[in-house]
Amino acid sequence: PATAEAGRAPGPPDGGWGWVVVFGAFVSIGFAYAFPKGLAIFFKEIQDFFGTSYSEIAWVSSIMLATTYGAGPISSILVNRYGSRPVVMFGGLLCGVGMISAAFCTSILQLYICVGFITGFGLALNLQPSVIIIGKYFLKRRPVANGLAMAGSPVMLCTLAPLNQFLFDNFGWRGSFLILGAILLNCCVAGALFRPIGAGTALVKTQVAEEGKDALKGKITEDGKEMSNALNVSMENKTEEEGGKDCFEKINQYLDFSLFKHRGFLIYLIGNVLMFLGFFAPIVFLAPYAKHTGIDEYSAAFLLSILAIVDMVARPATGIVANSKWVRPRIQYFFSFAIAFNGTCHLLCPLASSYTGLVVYSSFFGLAFGMVCAMLFETLMDLVGAARFTSAVGLVTIAECCTILLGPPIGGILIDTFGDYKYMFIKCGAVMVLAGTFLFIMNYYNYRMLAKEEKERKTKEEDPKSVRTENEGRKNWNKDSTKDGPELEPLREEGEGVKKEMNGT
């Protein structure tokens, strides 16, 4: 016989197999974030091979990043329907197929499709399920588990940059794409580690149901059959009602569009959409810029490794600082400072004419990049709350994918037009400083308005006259709304001395 707790939903174990799940998420998240940036190693050679401009080759990373971000809601819907394990395994298969197909491309348009759309969509199917499955396995230790999983991004970038250069030197860009496609198939292995946490309980419940069915077999009466038929009819009616929902209601189940009335959310959305115009372009063009200044290939690739190493340290350190009692109440200001600091680094990059200067720039860029990434979702949850966070992330990623798509190509157009990389860095820096300044000013306004609204609410609650007036208004409203209503007819008749039977009630 099954135990009494067999039918209960299992709670997060906060350990055990959960650490294996964290390792799988480490691999999946690492590839999803780092792979589009690591491909920049091949851009100069692919550009020479196809005879394209900087702006045309930049579309490869832009399409991949935009697809990874824009397909986030689709990934979340698939996880809710099928679970994390099959979605991640299918995403890993798409990544491998996309990169292997790219090795046989004969035009830049085919690279857009294979690398940008197919591989980008596969990376999107790796990112969201990996974050969701950690929340199911961890509760008390969830910040630690998330921190370890998110560390996969700088670790993978630190590894992929020199690895891609090594593969290119030995196998060319086509052979490198074949090998990278095989490496990305390891996401299928990482997805296989995402064991559903409720599988054992479901198995016990199924066995109990089968035993109960065998025990009651042959003892069903006509009343039981009628009850079963009535139940089937009610289920059919329920299905018809659900089928009658319009498209907007079904979409609103996953995305809460009422967030567009939320003042803090709109401020965050506008600032982030502006920020992403200059967020990824410097990473994409950092290695090509170093090669353009005469630095050898391995030293140029090592700049990305330096950036990733500093980023690796900056993310947890920023989380500790942001969680302190001095910063936590005004974390939006800290986030605004991080964005402006990032833009300032890009504005000063053209002054770095030597390799030593680029190493210093990469170090500060890694610090600023890690600060922004560490607080990107924490500040959003601080504004909208945990209950609406899932919908908020979906809406934000959909809006951000447009500027993510346009950022690197605009930088490439500036390089093609002026023949110099410094204008691209100046553009990115100016945009990010503007975004940081906008967020700082508007968050100051938002904090002032929230304090004013809270003060008005407390004053209204403490004022006895307003409370009395409010209660009297509520009584009058109840009296008016129920006057001559059919619901009170039996009570009035009873008060007048007239007794009636109310249909057996």
Side-chain angles (χ1 to χ4, degrees):
T3 61
E5 297 183 355
R8 296 182 184 177
D14 272 310
W17 187 261
W19 298 116
V20 181
V21 173
V22 169
F23 174 74
F26 176 91
V27 175
S28 298
I29 293 174
F31 277 122
Y33 277 122
F35 193 79
K37 305 163 192 169
L39 281 182
I41 299 296
F42 304 102
F43 280 1
K44 185 168 178 52
E45 286 71 25
I46 295 176
Q47 179 185 351
D48 295 336
F49 184 85
F50 288 113
T52 59
S53 62
Y54 284 101
S55 58
E56 288 175 327
I57 197 65
W59 278 103
V60 176
S61 284
S62 294
I63 294 173
M64 181 185 290
L65 287 167
T67 306
T68 302
Y69 275 75
I74 300 175
S75 179
S76 298
I77 294 171
L78 291 176
V79 171
N80 291 333
R81 179 67 179 86
Y82 300 105
S84 293
R85 175 187 273 178
V87 173
V88 174
M89 294 179 71
F90 179 65
L93 183 63
L94 277 182
C95 291
V97 169
M99 289 305 298
I100 292 172
S101 301
F104 302 96
C105 290
T106 57
S107 67
I108 194 69
L109 180 60
Q110 294 174 2
L111 277 180
Y112 294 160
I113 297 172
C114 295
V115 179
F117 288 109
I118 299 177
T119 306
F121 186 64
L123 294 176
L125 298 184
N126 276 271
L127 181 59
Q128 294 275 7
S130 302
V131 177
I132 293 171
I133 193 70
I134 291 176
K136 294 181 179 179
Y137 267 91
F138 291 90
L139 182 61
K140 295 180 181 178
R141 300 177 181 175
R142 188 168 59 197
V144 178
N146 273 321
L148 292 173
M150 293 300 291
S153 172
V155 171
M156 285 292 183
L157 181 59
C158 180
T159 307
L160 281 174
L163 174 64
N164 287 349
Q165 189 61 53
F166 172 79
L167 292 176
F168 174 76
D169 291 340
N170 290 274
F171 304 102
W173 69 270
R174 291 188 185 275
S176 300
F177 279 15
L178 280 173
I179 297 172
L180 288 174
I183 292 175
L184 283 173
L185 290 176
N186 285 286
C187 293
C188 300
V189 181
L193 300 176
F194 294 169
R195 186 170 63 195
I197 196 169
T201 305
L203 181 60
V204 172
K205 291 171 69 177
T206 304
Q207 291 175 351
V208 172
E210 291 178 355
E211 290 175 1
K213 189 187 295 183
D214 293 337
L216 295 176
K217 198 172 184 180
K219 298 181 181 180
I220 302 176
T221 60
E222 291 296 327
D223 293 338
K225 290 181 180 179
E226 292 176 1
M227 185 180 296
S228 177
N229 291 335
L231 182 62
N232 290 335
V233 171
S234 65
M235 292 297 292
E236 289 176 1
N237 292 336
K238 184 178 180 181
T239 305
E240 290 177 359
E241 290 176 0
E242 291 178 354
K245 289 183 178 181
D246 60 5
C247 183
F248 182 80
E249 289 178 348
K250 292 180 180 179
I251 294 175
N252 203 44
Q253 291 177 352
Y254 302 101
L255 300 176
D256 185 6
F257 289 100
S258 65
L259 282 166
F260 287 109
K261 299 179 181 178
H262 192 289
R263 183 173 59 241
F265 174 77
L266 288 176
I267 293 171
Y268 177 92
L269 181 64
I270 295 171
N272 276 259
V273 167
L274 182 62
M275 176 195 73
F276 274 104
L277 271 175
F279 193 61
F280 286 115
I283 300 179
V284 172
F285 289 108
L286 179 57
Y289 173 53
K291 295 178 183 179
H292 177 75
T293 57
I295 297 172
D296 62 277
E297 288 83 357
Y298 280 96
S299 298
F302 187 64
L303 291 174
L304 289 175
S305 299
I306 294 172
L307 187 151
I309 292 170
V310 178
D311 183 13
M312 201 184 310
V313 178
R315 294 196 189 202
T318 302
I320 294 172
V321 173
N323 200 42
S324 64
K325 63 180 180 180
W326 300 283
V327 180
R328 183 69 179 171
R330 293 292 184 266
I331 193 174
Q332 304 296 334
Y333 292 150
F334 191 36
F335 182 55
S336 305
F337 165 76
I339 295 174
F341 175 54
N342 203 321
T344 305
C345 292
H346 302 326
L347 288 175
L348 297 176
C349 178
L351 301 178
S353 57
S354 63
Y355 184 70
T356 304
L358 287 176
V359 169
V360 174
Y361 163 73
S362 300
S363 302
F364 279 98
F365 183 21
L367 174 62
F369 190 83
M371 290 172 64
V372 173
C373 291
M375 293 185 292
L376 193 60
F377 294 118
E378 181 62 35
T379 49
L380 179 59
M381 183 176 288
D382 177 72
L383 288 169
V384 302
R388 308 170 79 183
F389 178 67
T390 304
S391 295
V393 170
L395 294 173
V396 166
T397 53
I398 290 174
E400 289 172 350
C401 71
C402 300
T403 50
I404 291 172
L405 181 68
L406 296 176
I410 292 175
I413 291 174
L414 291 174
I415 297 171
D416 292 331
T417 304
F418 298 100
D420 197 340
Y421 282 80
K422 67 178 181 180
Y423 297 102
M424 184 274 301
F425 285 104
I426 292 173
K427 183 271 296 183
C428 294
V431 166
M432 295 199 69
V433 169
L434 178 63
T437 306
F438 169 81
L439 284 174
F440 188 89
I441 295 173
M442 295 307 296
N443 281 316
Y444 174 76
Y445 167 76
N446 188 36
Y447 279 133
R448 289 287 300 273
M449 291 299 296
L450 289 174
K452 183 179 178 181
E453 292 166 0
E454 182 68 15
K455 185 178 179 180
E456 290 177 354
R457 187 184 64 81
K458 288 183 178 179
T459 304
K460 190 174 182 181
E461 289 178 353
E462 293 173 358
D463 188 3
K465 184 178 179 181
S466 64
V467 173
R468 186 168 62 251
T469 306
E470 201 173 300
N471 292 334
E472 290 175 357
R474 188 181 294 110
K475 290 179 182 178
N476 293 333
W477 183 86
N478 288 334
K479 186 186 295 185
D480 294 339
S481 62
T482 55
K483 187 176 180 180
D484 297 331
E487 295 86 355
L488 295 183
E489 190 67 30
L491 298 178
R492 276 197 293 273
E493 292 178 356
E494 186 178 355
E496 293 169 0
V498 181
K499 298 181 179 180
K500 290 184 178 181
E501 292 186 3
M502 301 175 64
N503 297 327
T505 303

Short mmCIF file of all heavy atoms in Angstrom, two decimals, residues 92-124:
data_model
loop_
_atom_site.label_atom_id
_atom_site.label_comp_id
_atom_site.label_asym_id
_atom_site.label_seq_id
_atom_site.Cartn_x
_atom_site.Cartn_y
_atom_site.Cartn_z
N GLY A 92 19.53 21.81 -27.67
CA GLY A 92 20.90 21.41 -27.97
C GLY A 92 21.03 20.79 -29.34
O GLY A 92 22.02 21.02 -30.06
N LEU A 93 20.02 20.00 -29.73
CA LEU A 93 20.02 19.41 -31.08
C LEU A 93 19.94 20.49 -32.16
O LEU A 93 20.65 20.42 -33.18
CB LEU A 93 18.85 18.44 -31.20
CG LEU A 93 18.73 17.66 -32.52
CD1 LEU A 93 19.94 16.77 -32.72
CD2 LEU A 93 17.45 16.83 -32.54
N LEU A 94 19.10 21.52 -31.93
CA LEU A 94 19.00 22.61 -32.90
C LEU A 94 20.32 23.37 -33.01
O LEU A 94 20.73 23.76 -34.12
CB LEU A 94 17.89 23.58 -32.47
CG LEU A 94 16.45 23.24 -32.85
CD1 LEU A 94 15.51 24.33 -32.37
CD2 LEU A 94 16.30 23.04 -34.34
N CYS A 95 20.99 23.60 -31.88
CA CYS A 95 22.28 24.30 -31.90
C CYS A 95 23.30 23.53 -32.74
O CYS A 95 24.01 24.10 -33.58
CB CYS A 95 22.82 24.47 -30.49
SG CYS A 95 21.88 25.63 -29.47
N GLY A 96 23.38 22.22 -32.52
CA GLY A 96 24.33 21.41 -33.28
C GLY A 96 24.02 21.40 -34.76
O GLY A 96 24.91 21.55 -35.61
N VAL A 97 22.73 21.23 -35.10
CA VAL A 97 22.33 21.21 -36.51
C VAL A 97 22.62 22.55 -37.17
O VAL A 97 23.11 22.63 -38.31
CB VAL A 97 20.83 20.85 -36.63
CG1 VAL A 97 20.33 21.07 -38.05
CG2 VAL A 97 20.60 19.41 -36.21
N GLY A 98 22.35 23.65 -36.46
CA GLY A 98 22.58 24.97 -37.04
C GLY A 98 24.04 25.23 -37.35
O GLY A 98 24.38 25.73 -38.43
N MET A 99 24.95 24.90 -36.41
CA MET A 99 26.37 25.16 -36.64
C MET A 99 26.96 24.20 -37.67
O MET A 99 27.81 24.61 -38.48
CB MET A 99 27.12 25.04 -35.32
CG MET A 99 26.84 26.16 -34.34
SD MET A 99 27.15 27.81 -35.02
CE MET A 99 28.90 27.72 -35.36
N ILE A 100 26.54 22.95 -37.68
CA ILE A 100 27.05 22.00 -38.69
C ILE A 100 26.58 22.41 -40.08
O ILE A 100 27.33 22.34 -41.05
CB ILE A 100 26.59 20.57 -38.34
CG1 ILE A 100 27.30 20.10 -37.06
CG2 ILE A 100 26.88 19.61 -39.48
CD1 ILE A 100 26.78 18.78 -36.51
N SER A 101 25.33 22.89 -40.18
CA SER A 101 24.84 23.37 -41.47
C SER A 101 25.59 24.62 -41.92
O SER A 101 25.83 24.82 -43.12
CB SER A 101 23.33 23.68 -41.38
OG SER A 101 22.61 22.54 -40.99
N ALA A 102 25.98 25.47 -40.94
CA ALA A 102 26.70 26.70 -41.30
C ALA A 102 28.05 26.41 -41.91
O ALA A 102 28.59 27.23 -42.67
CB ALA A 102 26.86 27.57 -40.05
N ALA A 103 28.64 25.25 -41.60
CA ALA A 103 29.95 24.90 -42.17
C ALA A 103 29.88 24.70 -43.68
O ALA A 103 30.91 24.75 -44.36
CB ALA A 103 30.47 23.63 -41.50
N PHE A 104 28.69 24.48 -44.23
CA PHE A 104 28.52 24.25 -45.67
C PHE A 104 27.87 25.43 -46.38
O PHE A 104 27.45 25.31 -47.53
CB PHE A 104 27.69 22.98 -45.90
CG PHE A 104 28.28 21.75 -45.29
CD1 PHE A 104 27.87 21.30 -44.04
CD2 PHE A 104 29.28 21.04 -45.94
CE1 PHE A 104 28.42 20.17 -43.46
CE2 PHE A 104 29.84 19.91 -45.37
CZ PHE A 104 29.40 19.47 -44.13
N CYS A 105 27.74 26.58 -45.70
CA CYS A 105 27.09 27.74 -46.29
C CYS A 105 27.97 28.34 -47.39
O CYS A 105 29.20 28.37 -47.29
CB CYS A 105 26.82 28.80 -45.22
SG CYS A 105 25.54 28.34 -44.05
N THR A 106 27.31 28.86 -48.41
CA THR A 106 28.02 29.47 -49.53
C THR A 106 27.69 30.96 -49.69
O THR A 106 28.16 31.59 -50.63
CB THR A 106 27.66 28.74 -50.85
OG1 THR A 106 26.24 28.77 -51.03
CG2 THR A 106 28.14 27.30 -50.80
N SER A 107 26.89 31.51 -48.79
CA SER A 107 26.56 32.94 -48.84
C SER A 107 26.32 33.44 -47.43
O SER A 107 26.06 32.66 -46.50
CB SER A 107 25.33 33.20 -49.72
OG SER A 107 24.18 32.65 -49.11
N ILE A 108 26.38 34.75 -47.27
CA ILE A 108 26.17 35.36 -45.95
C ILE A 108 24.73 35.21 -45.51
O ILE A 108 24.44 35.10 -44.31
CB ILE A 108 26.59 36.85 -45.99
CG1 ILE A 108 26.71 37.41 -44.57
CG2 ILE A 108 25.64 37.66 -46.83
CD1 ILE A 108 27.85 36.86 -43.78
N LEU A 109 23.78 35.15 -46.48
CA LEU A 109 22.37 34.97 -46.12
C LEU A 109 22.14 33.61 -45.49
O LEU A 109 21.36 33.48 -44.54
CB LEU A 109 21.51 35.13 -47.38
CG LEU A 109 19.99 34.97 -47.20
CD1 LEU A 109 19.47 36.02 -46.21
CD2 LEU A 109 19.27 35.07 -48.54
N GLN A 110 22.81 32.59 -46.00
CA GLN A 110 22.69 31.25 -45.40
C GLN A 110 23.26 31.23 -43.98
O GLN A 110 22.74 30.53 -43.11
CB GLN A 110 23.39 30.23 -46.28
CG GLN A 110 22.74 30.03 -47.64
CD GLN A 110 23.55 29.11 -48.54
OE1 GLN A 110 24.59 28.60 -48.16
NE2 GLN A 110 23.07 28.92 -49.77
N LEU A 111 24.31 32.02 -43.73
CA LEU A 111 24.84 32.12 -42.37
C LEU A 111 23.82 32.78 -41.43
O LEU A 111 23.70 32.39 -40.27
CB LEU A 111 26.13 32.93 -42.35
CG LEU A 111 27.43 32.20 -42.71
CD1 LEU A 111 28.60 33.16 -42.63
CD2 LEU A 111 27.67 31.03 -41.76
N TYR A 112 23.10 33.78 -41.94
CA TYR A 112 22.06 34.41 -41.12
C TYR A 112 21.04 33.36 -40.65
O TYR A 112 20.61 33.37 -39.50
CB TYR A 112 21.33 35.50 -41.90
CG TYR A 112 22.16 36.70 -42.27
CD1 TYR A 112 21.77 37.55 -43.31
CD2 TYR A 112 23.32 37.01 -41.58
CE1 TYR A 112 22.51 38.67 -43.65
CE2 TYR A 112 24.07 38.12 -41.90
CZ TYR A 112 23.68 38.94 -42.95
OH TYR A 112 24.42 40.04 -43.28
N ILE A 113 20.65 32.48 -41.58
CA ILE A 113 19.62 31.49 -41.26
C ILE A 113 20.16 30.41 -40.32
O ILE A 113 19.56 30.10 -39.28
CB ILE A 113 19.07 30.85 -42.55
CG1 ILE A 113 18.38 31.92 -43.42
CG2 ILE A 113 18.09 29.73 -42.23
CD1 ILE A 113 17.97 31.43 -44.79
N CYS A 114 21.32 29.84 -40.66
CA CYS A 114 21.85 28.70 -39.90
C CYS A 114 22.38 29.13 -38.53
O CYS A 114 22.01 28.55 -37.50
CB CYS A 114 22.95 28.00 -40.70
SG CYS A 114 22.38 27.24 -42.22
N VAL A 115 23.25 30.15 -38.53
CA VAL A 115 23.85 30.58 -37.27
C VAL A 115 22.89 31.48 -36.50
O VAL A 115 22.71 31.33 -35.28
CB VAL A 115 25.19 31.30 -37.52
CG1 VAL A 115 25.80 31.77 -36.21
CG2 VAL A 115 26.15 30.37 -38.24
N GLY A 116 22.27 32.44 -37.20
CA GLY A 116 21.43 33.43 -36.52
C GLY A 116 20.14 32.85 -35.99
O GLY A 116 19.87 32.89 -34.79
N PHE A 117 19.32 32.28 -36.88
CA PHE A 117 17.98 31.84 -36.47
C PHE A 117 17.98 30.46 -35.84
O PHE A 117 17.45 30.27 -34.73
CB PHE A 117 17.04 31.87 -37.68
CG PHE A 117 16.66 33.26 -38.12
CD1 PHE A 117 17.15 33.78 -39.30
CD2 PHE A 117 15.84 34.06 -37.35
CE1 PHE A 117 16.82 35.05 -39.71
CE2 PHE A 117 15.50 35.34 -37.74
CZ PHE A 117 15.98 35.84 -38.92
N ILE A 118 18.57 29.46 -36.51
CA ILE A 118 18.48 28.08 -36.00
C ILE A 118 19.27 27.93 -34.70
O ILE A 118 18.75 27.47 -33.68
CB ILE A 118 18.97 27.08 -37.06
CG1 ILE A 118 18.08 27.17 -38.32
CG2 ILE A 118 18.95 25.66 -36.51
CD1 ILE A 118 18.53 26.26 -39.45
N THR A 119 20.54 28.34 -34.72
CA THR A 119 21.36 28.22 -33.50
C THR A 119 20.85 29.16 -32.41
O THR A 119 20.84 28.80 -31.23
CB THR A 119 22.82 28.53 -33.82
OG1 THR A 119 23.26 27.71 -34.90
CG2 THR A 119 23.70 28.27 -32.61
N GLY A 120 20.44 30.37 -32.79
CA GLY A 120 19.90 31.31 -31.79
C GLY A 120 18.65 30.78 -31.12
O GLY A 120 18.48 30.91 -29.90
N PHE A 121 17.75 30.14 -31.88
CA PHE A 121 16.54 29.57 -31.28
C PHE A 121 16.89 28.38 -30.38
O PHE A 121 16.28 28.19 -29.32
CB PHE A 121 15.57 29.13 -32.37
CG PHE A 121 14.24 28.65 -31.85
CD1 PHE A 121 13.40 29.52 -31.19
CD2 PHE A 121 13.85 27.34 -32.02
CE1 PHE A 121 12.17 29.09 -30.70
CE2 PHE A 121 12.63 26.90 -31.54
CZ PHE A 121 11.78 27.78 -30.88
N GLY A 122 17.89 27.60 -30.78
CA GLY A 122 18.34 26.51 -29.92
C GLY A 122 18.90 27.02 -28.60
O GLY A 122 18.65 26.44 -27.54
N LEU A 123 19.66 28.13 -28.64
CA LEU A 123 20.19 28.70 -27.41
C LEU A 123 19.07 29.26 -26.52
O LEU A 123 19.16 29.20 -25.29
CB LEU A 123 21.19 29.82 -27.74
CG LEU A 123 22.47 29.38 -28.44
CD1 LEU A 123 23.33 30.60 -28.79
CD2 LEU A 123 23.27 28.41 -27.57
N ALA A 124 18.01 29.79 -27.13
CA ALA A 124 16.87 30.26 -26.34
C ALA A 124 16.20 29.11 -25.60
O ALA A 124 15.75 29.26 -24.46
CB ALA A 124 15.86 30.96 -27.26
#
